[in-house]
Amino acid sequence: MAQHFSLAACDVVGFDLDHTLCRYNLPESARLIYNSFAQFLVKEKGYDKELLTVTPEDWDFCCKGLALDLEDGNFIKLADNGTVLRASHGTKMLAPEVLAEEYGRKEWKHFMPDSGMACRSGKYYFYDNYFDLPGALLCARVVDSLTKNNCQKPFDFWKDIVAGIQHNYKMSAFKENCGIYFPEIKRDPGRYLHTCPESVKKWLRQLKNAGKILMLITSSHSDYCRLLCEYILGNDFEYLFDIVITNALKPGFFSHLPSQRPFRTLENDEEQEALPSLDKPGWYSQGNAVHLYELLKKMTGKPEPKVVYFGDSMHSDIFPACHYSNWETVLILEELRGDRDGKPEDSEPLEKKGKYEGPKAKPLNRLSKKWGSFFIDSVSGLENTEDSLVYTWSCKRISAYSTIAIPSIEAIAELPLDYKFTSFSSNSSKSAGYYPNPPLVLSNDGKLTTK
């Protein structure tokens, strides 16, 4: 029997904010993030001005689940067994014979068999969310530019990317109105953010009325969190959540010891003193899952309250919440909109169509022609044998660490709270936990192999 999951059985329902409760207009937000970094590299670090010009076609390079090898400037897509399915140098895809020569059929040098391997290190970077993806395109184009100009240290650019992150997203950037990203979101939030549909607001109230404890745990700082929540949920959003945790610095929130990451109170969005424990619900900064769980025990009166957490990032949300805290996890996977024959459900509401001029970029959740499906890919057969389909490493992690995967919260908001979802489990197929439907490419499950 396949395992089932129901929200009615949970005592606590937690949410990530960005790309989970708050959905972005992906073509617009991607362009803003890209420009934030490209302008920094060109103006502050002297990079080629060509980086500032992006064509609609360029966005096809963006695909979740890619790794950038910081030593050689190659991007790679991994199979579930750690072998390399496709690769590019910068934006230029490697031909099959070059791929075979460079990577063969052996595990990628940084791969660890445990599919919970680190996503970030000094030698590689995994792109697994929509804030990251514009950076993948930018880094690939930086590699193109450096390769063309025959620089002696062609791929020593990561420190400048990190400086760009600090410039645009440092804790004080929202308040100081510095960088490009925050001032632009503040100026025109409607261009970049989708308000929560009435069905989602009603669903949140329904959860609360059913006695569930509602939490918001985001790595965004409190001032940006407040702007987003007021825009998507309304000025009275705070009454929906018993606990709000900002600057959570996930995945560290789940993986670090309480002594490493104490909770802090906030005053006018400024962090105050560290707390030895968490005694009451409220709005906090930083923190750790251990102290949070102790509070949830007190609030529910149960020795082991059941928690479910909704998030969009495997690296920051789903893997750590499952692996370190043993929480149920719901992965928000917009690729479920975009992988059906490459014809996604539109990422933009009808009332926004035509409102912002300019050529249409590919929504980031749509199938990439360069990289193929996020879920599966083909491996060339030996002479006289057929190609075979294999699961990607990203797809394997979804079924290993998610309870279920859905395209958006809206997709389940009108279901009864006691609706029984078929969950991912060792007894079921890799497509069982997707709701409302598995990606089209996984529908013919029997044809897949795990070489």
Side-chain angles (χ1 to χ4, degrees):
M1 285 287 290
Q3 293 180 355
H4 290 92
F5 163 74
S6 167
L7 285 167
C10 298
D11 304 295
V12 183
V13 185
F15 300 93
D16 174 43
L17 179 56
D18 296 286
H19 302 290
T20 299
L21 263 182
C22 177
R23 279 190 59 214
Y24 285 73
N25 177 359
L26 292 179
E28 292 293 334
S29 64
R31 196 152 39 217
L32 173 60
I33 293 166
Y34 181 94
N35 288 339
S36 301
F37 287 94
Q39 291 199 36
F40 176 81
L41 291 185
V42 172
K43 291 176 180 174
E44 304 296 327
K45 299 294 180 180
Y47 281 71
D48 196 318
K49 286 181 183 170
E50 281 182 14
L51 293 176
L52 299 174
T53 308
V54 188
T55 68
E57 295 72 35
D58 288 334
W59 292 103
D60 182 63
F61 183 82
C62 293
C63 176
K64 270 193 204 166
L66 302 183
L68 165 59
D69 189 321
L70 295 170
E71 294 170 314
D72 58 22
N74 285 1
F75 286 79
I76 61 164
K77 178 184 181 184
L78 289 171
D80 61 354
N81 63 1
T83 56
V84 177
L85 292 166
R86 303 190 192 200
S88 72
H89 182 68
T91 64
K92 310 292 186 291
M93 301 304 291
L94 300 191
E97 58 276 13
V98 179
L99 185 73
E101 187 182 329
E102 198 146 327
Y103 295 104
R105 295 209 171 171
K106 58 184 186 295
E107 280 185 1
W108 180 48
K109 60 188 174 184
H110 298 304
F111 186 77
M112 291 173 264
D114 169 22
S115 54
M117 67 187 271
C119 280
R120 317 275 152 92
S121 89
K123 294 184 177 175
Y124 60 88
Y125 189 92
F126 268 98
Y127 292 90
D128 94 323
N129 65 68
Y130 294 128
F131 277 154
D132 275 352
L133 285 192
L137 174 60
L138 179 63
C139 287
R141 297 187 73 212
V142 166
V143 171
D144 289 347
S145 173
L146 295 174
T147 302
K148 184 175 75 177
N149 295 320
N150 294 320
C151 292
Q152 282 189 327
K153 283 179 114 186
F155 311 116
D156 185 25
F157 63 86
W158 191 249
K159 64 184 185 304
D160 296 329
I161 299 292
V162 172
I165 293 170
Q166 174 61 14
H167 176 70
N168 279 293
Y169 297 114
K170 65 182 177 180
M171 197 164 178
S172 59
F174 186 96
K175 194 173 189 176
E176 293 170 5
N177 225 33
C178 68
I180 291 171
Y181 182 81
F182 290 126
E184 180 58 21
I185 295 277
K186 281 197 262 188
R187 189 186 68 78
D188 190 3
R191 181 169 190 160
Y192 303 102
L193 310 174
H194 295 321
T195 54
C196 276
E198 203 49 52
S199 62
V200 172
K201 295 179 191 177
K202 186 179 172 187
W203 178 77
L204 291 169
R205 291 193 292 269
Q206 192 184 354
L207 286 166
K208 199 163 179 64
N209 292 339
K212 311 298 180 192
I213 292 169
L214 266 57
M215 308 186 298
L216 192 60
I217 307 174
T218 174
S219 291
S220 288
H221 300 306
S222 59
D223 43 16
Y224 185 55
C225 170
R226 186 172 283 104
L227 178 142
L228 295 184
C229 289
E230 286 179 355
Y231 184 82
I232 67 168
L233 292 168
N235 292 338
D236 58 348
F237 77 90
E238 283 190 65
Y239 92 93
L240 287 170
F241 302 102
D242 301 279
I243 300 165
V244 177
I245 299 164
T246 56
N247 195 26
L249 301 176
K250 298 173 291 182
F253 180 85
F254 297 102
S255 61
H256 285 154
L257 297 170
S259 58
Q260 295 173 292
R261 296 294 314 283
F263 280 95
R264 294 179 180 274
T265 54
L266 285 159
E267 204 171 289
N268 298 322
D269 297 316
E270 298 283 345
E271 290 185 348
Q272 304 300 305
E273 74 280 0
L275 300 173
S277 62
L278 203 56
D279 298 323
K280 60 184 179 184
W283 190 308
Y284 299 96
S285 192
Q286 296 196 39
N288 61 87
V290 174
H291 280 168
L292 172 61
Y293 198 64
E294 290 303 315
L295 174 62
L296 296 176
K297 288 180 190 177
K298 268 200 271 184
M299 290 174 72
T300 59
K302 294 184 176 182
E304 291 187 352
K306 187 169 182 177
V307 184
V308 59
Y309 187 63
F310 288 71
D312 70 297
S313 169
M314 182 58 66
H315 170 68
S316 301
D317 301 318
I318 303 302
F319 169 72
C322 170
H323 182 74
Y324 296 107
S325 297
N326 202 29
W327 291 357
E328 301 283 359
T329 54
V330 178
L331 175 65
I332 304 295
L333 189 65
E334 289 204 33
E335 280 66 21
L336 290 176
R337 301 167 180 280
D339 205 58
R340 298 199 148 252
D341 262 344
K343 295 171 190 164
E345 175 188 318
D346 209 301
S347 69
E348 213 174 330
L350 287 173
E351 67 270 15
K352 289 211 174 174
K353 283 180 183 281
K355 188 172 177 184
Y356 300 106
E357 295 305 316
K360 272 292 186 193
K362 170 187 87 76
L364 299 187
N365 59 11
R366 186 180 288 185
L367 189 70
S368 163
K369 291 174 187 166
K370 281 192 170 182
W371 294 103
S373 170
F374 173 74
F375 302 95
I376 62 169
D377 214 331
S378 59
V379 173
S380 301
L382 299 169
E383 226 175 314
N384 302 322
T385 64
E386 288 183 14
D387 289 3
S388 55
L389 291 173
V390 298
Y391 291 108
T392 62
W393 182 68
S394 298
C395 185
K396 180 182 179 181
R397 281 161 59 85
I398 291 169
S399 57
Y401 299 111
S402 312
T403 305
I404 60 171
I406 59 178
S408 65
I409 290 174
E410 193 179 351
I412 65 167
E414 293 183 9
L415 297 173
L417 294 186
D418 60 358
Y419 183 89
K420 286 187 165 55
F421 296 92
T422 303
S423 59
F424 292 111
S425 75
S426 54
N427 306 324
S428 64
S429 73
K430 277 204 170 60
S431 62
Y434 294 103
Y435 179 89
N437 299 298
L440 205 60
V441 293
L442 294 189
S443 299
N444 302 322
D445 204 40
K447 292 184 182 174
L448 296 184
T449 179
T450 50
K451 280 191 172 184

